[in-house]
Amino acid sequence: MTVIDIPEGSPFGPANLPYGVFSTPGTAPRVGVRVGDSVLDLAVALDEEVFARPTLNPFMAQGHARWVQVRERITALIAGEVPDAAVHPVAEVELHLPFEVADYVDFYASEHHATNLGRLFRPNAEPLMPNWKHLPVGYHGRSGTVVVSGTDIARPNGQRKAPDEEAPTFGPCRRLDIEAELGFVVGTGSELGSPVPCEEFATRVFGAVLVNDWSARDIQAWEYVPLGPFLGKSFATSVSPWVVPLLALEAARVPTPEQDPRPLPYLREGEPWGLDIDLAVDWNGRRVANPPYREMYWSPAQLLAHLTVNGASTRTGDLYASGTISGPEKDQRGAFIELTWGGKEPIEIGGSERTFLQDGDEVVISATAPGADGTRIGFGQVSGRIVPAEGGAR
Ligand SMILES: O=C(O)/C=C/C(=O)CC(=O)CC(=O)O
Ligand SMILES: [Ca+2]
Ligand SMILES: [Mg+2]
């Protein structure tokens, strides 16, 4: 038996307890919880078949009462001794995609990001569309290309046409970008024809992950009219390996910024679900932005209410992302197209002037939030390295 050591100030202390799927060499992927710098193997520690599975989906589908009960059991377990065989150093495990992604939706819930992108993509129009403050704008993405942190990202090929070019050409993306986002994972789904009110957010959503919604800005700018993002964003979306339970985010709850005009009744929240989460974006090791989640205009409860208001059903494993997180300040922008203002204001990275991503570049997004016991809890990170496009480097 052993006591799991939790280093002083660890972002993975008892207030966090995020879930993931891990394996050790020669063993099958199974469910674990991060505690300090260790992974607690739940299949061993709790001896339940539901944790011996390669995804969190079966456990998430058991519902909110079980999430509370299992969290209490883990809390009690790590306060004492656990079997040696249930503990692995995190450095010695492989982390897998933690859940099977059912449907994937991406929203556009930052007023600052939407305003900046409006100015960049539609310089002759009002930056915010007339619908923006009345409903959370979003689009359905591609669940099959959601990958776990650490997966290499191949530069996509596609059609691109700069404004001064007469016709499109085909080839590797020349304006490859990131989008720093938070993603919400549905634990218990809802029936076709039954909208999910804001009040049911906390019992239906299991937890949150970091998301990097890789974006090919040149492909996007040419293809998106009038139906929205398609191939410019569907080639890969990276998520962090640890799912932070919503139960761990109680201390991070804050009101959203004031919503004026007042939203329609189905979008009104009783209890606020803004979240005081601080993100950080590192580009080849240089910190280039600190996007603040608390600045997001629409809360994740409102996003779920909107996603289902037409009667669309949801399923265990549905992932819906907040949209790029940008604050009012320049160094709070969650995408390089905003940080470099469309490539016109380069950033210095390792002695060279950079605008969009080059082959070999690595981006790491991390985040922390206040935890219940006065510590800060961590989301870990979502990372990805750009590899050359199929058919050759750009
Ligand atoms: O304004 C546009 O045309 C495009 C906006 C985006 O690319 C943003 C997007 O994918 C949603 C988001 O992450 O906020
Ligand atoms: Ca996005
Ligand atoms: Mg994407």
Side-chain angles (χ1 to χ4, degrees):
M1 299 292 279
T2 184
V3 175
I4 303 178
D5 174 56
I6 303 176
E8 179 76 29
S10 170
F12 299 103
N16 193 351
L17 306 179
Y19 294 90
V21 169
F22 78 101
S23 60
T24 50
T27 66
R30 55 204 184 272
V31 174
V33 163
R34 173 99 185 240
V35 183
D37 297 325
S38 303
V39 178
L40 178 67
D41 183 335
L42 289 190
V44 174
L46 298 180
D47 191 26
E48 284 191 47
E49 214 277 315
V50 74
F51 299 116
R53 310 283 192 84
T55 76
L56 281 168
N57 296 47
F59 170 54
M60 295 195 299
Q62 291 182 334
H64 185 260
R66 269 281 289 172
W67 311 338
V68 172
Q69 178 204 61
V70 168
R71 186 171 170 81
E72 282 168 1
R73 284 177 65 193
I74 296 166
T75 303
L77 264 179
I78 63 170
E81 293 189 317
V82 294
D84 292 310
V87 185
H88 303 272
V90 70
E92 289 173 19
V93 307
E94 183 182 348
L95 295 168
H96 303 269
L97 189 65
F99 55 99
E100 190 182 339
V101 185
D103 287 301
Y104 168 47
V105 163
D106 190 21
F107 282 98
Y108 190 39
S110 160
E111 180 176 0
H112 305 288
H113 174 71
T115 303
N116 288 335
L117 273 268
R119 291 204 173 109
L120 289 161
F121 275 110
R122 298 168 288 277
N124 301 317
E126 274 297 311
L128 279 192
M129 292 289 175
N131 60 1
W132 200 89
K133 290 201 166 178
H134 293 275
L135 55 81
V137 171
Y139 67 94
H140 282 92
R142 193 166 185 84
S143 52
T145 54
V146 176
V147 297
V148 72
S149 174
T151 305
D152 283 346
I153 304 301
R155 179 180 300 277
N157 286 309
Q159 283 198 29
R160 60 276 205 276
K161 189 187 98 52
D164 59 347
E165 289 172 338
E166 219 163 87
T169 55
F170 180 84
C173 167
R174 293 184 285 223
R175 286 161 74 88
L176 187 55
D177 197 357
I178 64 149
E179 290 188 326
E181 310 192 18
L182 205 63
F184 296 88
V185 186
V186 172
T188 42
S190 51
E191 298 289 307
L192 196 61
S194 299
V196 177
C198 287
E199 295 70 52
E200 286 184 24
F201 167 72
T203 48
R204 295 208 176 262
V205 167
F206 177 75
V209 289
L210 291 169
V211 173
N212 186 348
D213 181 25
W214 304 95
S215 297
R217 298 300 181 190
D218 45 358
I219 296 171
Q220 177 185 357
W222 168 236
E223 76 175 357
Y224 88 99
V225 184
L227 290 187
F230 188 41
L231 303 178
K233 285 167 181 283
S234 65
F235 55 95
T237 304
S238 301
V239 296
S240 55
W242 298 111
V243 183
V244 174
L246 213 58
L247 292 166
L249 290 171
E250 274 297 325
R253 291 177 66 177
V254 288
T256 51
E258 198 201 339
Q259 298 182 337
D260 181 21
R262 193 173 184 212
L264 287 169
Y266 79 92
L267 287 170
R268 290 181 200 157
E269 307 185 275
E271 298 284 317
W273 269 106
L275 292 166
D276 185 15
I277 300 171
D278 288 319
L279 281 81
V281 180
D282 296 326
W283 186 352
N284 291 351
R286 201 202 129 180
R287 176 76 32 104
V288 292
N290 284 103
Y293 191 83
R294 67 187 157 277
E295 295 283 346
M296 298 301 273
Y297 191 87
W298 297 107
S299 84
Q302 292 176 311
L303 300 182
L304 184 60
H306 187 64
L307 171 57
T308 57
V309 75
N310 64 348
S313 50
T314 55
R315 290 181 290 175
T316 299
D318 276 8
L319 171 67
Y320 66 96
S322 58
T324 311
I325 303 162
S326 292
E329 306 300 330
K330 191 170 177 188
D331 63 0
Q332 295 179 326
R333 297 173 182 168
F336 297 159
I337 191 172
E338 294 171 83
L339 282 168
T340 67
W341 207 251
K344 291 196 198 77
E345 298 173 17
I347 311 181
E348 202 214 288
I349 306 283
S352 69
E353 300 252 291
R354 309 296 289 278
T355 52
F356 293 97
L357 287 159
Q358 295 181 5
D359 291 348
D361 280 2
E362 186 188 42
V363 177
V364 177
I365 301 169
S366 54
T368 61
D373 56 6
T375 63
R376 286 195 76 78
I377 62 171
F379 280 75
Q381 62 180 46
V382 58
S383 70
R385 185 180 295 279
I386 308 303
V387 300
E390 194 69 31
R394 60 169 291 233

